Amino acid sequence: LGDVYKRQEQARAAQQESVDIVHVIINHGGGIRGGKAIMKLVGIDCGDCRLPLAPYTEAEIARLDEELRAIGFKK
């Protein structure tokens, strides 16, 4: 039964991590815009969003990176 509780706690922690990441994405323009920026930060350049979505500025990328580091995303 101890293994069940351990796996349950690991699942809760993983779920909370995903919730934290989604909050950061939402704070930075939402799914497509934020998602593309995060992919770029981790080394996968998917290009800029098409209009009407504006590409991230360097300052926005820096703030996004800072917030992701604060929640432990970039390990």
Side-chain angles (χ1 to χ4, degrees):
L1 204 54
D3 268 355
V4 171
Y5 291 124
K6 183 178 179 182
R7 286 193 304 263
Q8 201 172 35
E9 287 305 313
Q10 290 170 333
R12 280 191 185 110
Q15 181 64 39
Q16 186 58 53
E17 184 177 352
S18 71
V19 167
D20 294 341
I21 293 166
V22 168
H23 284 152
V24 171
I25 291 171
I26 289 169
N27 289 338
H28 289 273
I32 294 173
R33 188 169 186 256
K36 280 185 171 247
I38 289 174
M39 294 295 287
K40 188 173 185 176
L41 282 173
V42 299
I44 303 170
D45 190 350
C46 299
D48 291 330
C49 292
R50 290 184 272 172
L51 294 174
L53 300 176
Y56 269 60
T57 64
E58 291 300 317
E60 288 175 312
I61 289 283
R63 281 193 302 274
L64 175 64
D65 186 46
E66 184 179 305
E67 284 189 37
L68 289 171
R69 288 178 188 271
I71 63 169
F73 177 75
K74 294 184 78 177
K75 299 174 183 168

